[in-house]
Amino acid sequence: MSSARRDLESGGATKNATTYSAAPTNYVFDPEVHWTSWLVPLFVAVNVVVFVVAMYVNDCPRNNLAFEGDCVATFLGRFSFQPLRENPLFGPSSSTSAGMNFEFRTVVFVVKFDLTEMGALRWYDVVNQHEGWRLVTCIWLHAGIVHLAANMLSLVFIGIRLEQQFGFVRIGIIYLLSGFGGSVLSSLFIRNNISVGASGALFGLLGAMLSELITNWSIYTNKAAALFTLLFIIVINLAIGMLPHVDNFAHIGGFLTGFLLGFVLLLRPQFGWLEQRRFPAGVRLKSKYKPYQYVLWIVSLILLIVGLSIALVMLFRGESGYDHCHWCHYLTCVPTSRWKCNDN
């Protein structure tokens, strides 16, 4: 386990309840190209600005009806938070009753219009009002400062290292498409709640880390231990998503999208190909990529296009994912003696 941790810790960090980690960086060779990370910090800044705007629009002192108590941190003026009994994550209100995910994808509680009007994900608006843009805007909204801080810390620890290794174009594509994929799968299964948060995109980066390790298997040391540790982190993250009021479909959709995109976008040349650049012109002994990398690239691209296309067709036809997968409710909530699970 210690060798695996050395592989992973060189690229990132972990979190308490839900753990994210940056990509392993203990390669057999050092990459020649090292990008300066600017897109991930920009994403963080945009999320913070959007949250500040949401709090400004929320204006708790003016709009709070005091049914759940008084505003919190009133010295902040119109930026003060909703009562904790209404929103324990220190944030604004929403307009639809639902549960609250205290981790990384939030389905929010009762109150007004703020998050919904700003672009929170809601099945009725996406399908019946033709507001497909909510599939993207929801990943920039957060239910509270606790939710925002947890996601942004994870994004910094994962995203900056990945962007330094692979550049802003590839990591930006993975982040945005994974967030989109998480929103699509969430909408297929969750109809009665609204959902906000960047966790689908974050799980996409986590999935891309796994596929990057697999497709570039030959350039890692301690590869088996690194794979075991990364799989352990992924399982723990997804298992936490089975608690009630957690939108685990967004986690799973983002993870699967990022996993497939990792095979497509995060290939590295095999070690021998880099070494042979020192040979005389015309002497080439190895191809740039191994055959299995090409196979994974083709299969993953096909699965990604077909999967998203089918999901979008089902969504805009108004079909429910549960009609085709009756047991899938166990992926987002497992009933116990302490709580029950329903479509909320």
Side-chain angles (χ1 to χ4, degrees):
M1 179 65 72
S2 61
S3 61
R5 289 184 63 187
R6 284 195 296 271
D7 275 357
L8 293 171
E9 287 176 356
S10 60
T14 59
K15 292 181 57 61
N16 294 331
T18 300
T19 307
Y20 295 113
S21 174
T25 57
N26 191 6
Y27 299 108
V28 175
F29 65 94
D30 293 327
E32 290 188 352
V33 179
H34 188 80
W35 283 271
T36 299
S37 176
W38 62 267
L39 185 63
V40 169
L42 178 61
F43 282 166
V44 173
V46 171
N47 277 276
V48 172
V49 169
V50 170
F51 180 74
V52 171
V53 171
M55 294 306 303
Y56 179 85
V57 173
N58 185 68
D59 195 1
C60 181
R62 179 179 180 181
N63 298 316
N64 181 39
L65 300 179
F67 293 141
E68 300 291 342
D70 297 328
C71 299
V72 177
T74 54
F75 63 89
L76 295 175
R78 68 182 298 153
F79 295 97
S80 57
F81 309 115
Q82 292 299 121
L84 294 183
R85 293 177 62 182
E86 176 185 323
N87 186 345
L89 297 184
F90 295 94
S93 64
S94 72
S95 62
T96 305
S97 84
M100 179 74 75
N101 168 6
F102 292 91
E103 299 300 330
F104 293 94
R105 179 75 175 202
T106 305
V107 186
V108 205
F109 276 113
V110 157
V111 200
K112 304 189 300 297
F113 295 98
D114 305 322
L115 289 178
T116 303
E117 292 299 314
M118 292 187 68
L121 183 63
R122 186 167 61 176
W123 177 86
Y124 178 85
D125 293 329
V126 172
V127 176
N128 296 324
Q129 302 297 323
H130 308 292
E131 297 178 356
W133 47 269
R134 291 181 180 272
L135 296 168
V136 177
T137 56
C138 66
I139 70 176
W140 305 100
L141 297 169
H142 289 84
I145 195 168
V146 175
H147 186 215
L148 175 70
N151 274 350
M152 293 305 99
L153 286 174
S154 298
L155 177 57
V156 167
F157 287 128
I158 303 172
I160 287 181
R161 175 64 66 177
L162 288 174
E163 186 180 353
Q164 289 173 342
Q165 292 177 359
F166 297 102
F168 71 93
V169 174
R170 286 182 282 185
I171 299 307
I173 291 174
I174 292 173
Y175 182 86
L176 294 174
L177 283 183
S178 296
F180 176 78
S183 297
V184 171
L185 191 64
S186 175
S187 297
L188 279 174
F189 288 93
I190 298 178
R191 294 191 172 191
N192 299 327
N193 305 328
I194 71 170
S195 184
V196 295
S199 62
L202 290 170
F203 268 82
L205 295 180
L206 194 62
M209 287 164 50
L210 177 60
S211 54
E212 191 272 330
L213 174 62
I214 294 173
T215 195
N216 300 320
W217 186 255
S218 63
I219 66 175
Y220 283 97
T221 60
N222 299 321
K223 55 191 72 177
L227 178 61
F228 173 81
T229 305
L230 190 52
L231 287 174
F232 177 78
I233 293 171
I234 292 169
V235 169
I236 293 298
N237 277 282
L238 293 177
I240 291 175
M242 294 181 182
L243 296 174
H245 309 309
V246 179
D247 184 2
N248 209 28
F249 289 117
H251 298 174
I252 295 171
F255 176 82
L256 292 176
T257 303
F259 182 71
L260 294 175
L261 283 171
F263 288 121
V264 176
L265 297 177
L266 303 185
L267 281 75
R268 289 185 181 275
Q270 58 177 314
F271 178 71
W273 183 84
L274 294 173
E275 287 295 306
Q276 69 187 6
R277 289 180 301 176
R278 302 175 183 176
F279 296 168
V283 178
R284 291 292 181 269
L285 303 178
K286 292 188 176 182
S287 62
K288 186 173 183 179
Y289 300 108
K290 294 188 175 182
Y292 78 86
Q293 290 178 300
Y294 289 110
V295 172
L296 289 173
W297 189 92
I298 294 172
V299 172
S300 298
L301 184 61
I302 293 174
L303 288 176
L304 181 66
I305 294 174
V306 172
L308 283 177
S309 299
I310 292 175
L312 285 171
V313 170
M314 290 176 57
L315 175 62
F316 287 106
R317 282 182 176 178
E319 298 182 28
S320 171
Y322 291 120
D323 294 338
H324 304 275
C325 182
H326 301 291
W327 56 268
C328 281
H329 61 276
Y330 292 114
L331 295 176
T332 194
C333 183
V334 178
T336 70
S337 59
R338 293 181 176 271
W339 61 72
K340 296 181 180 180
C341 300
N342 52 41
D343 59 355
N344 287 328

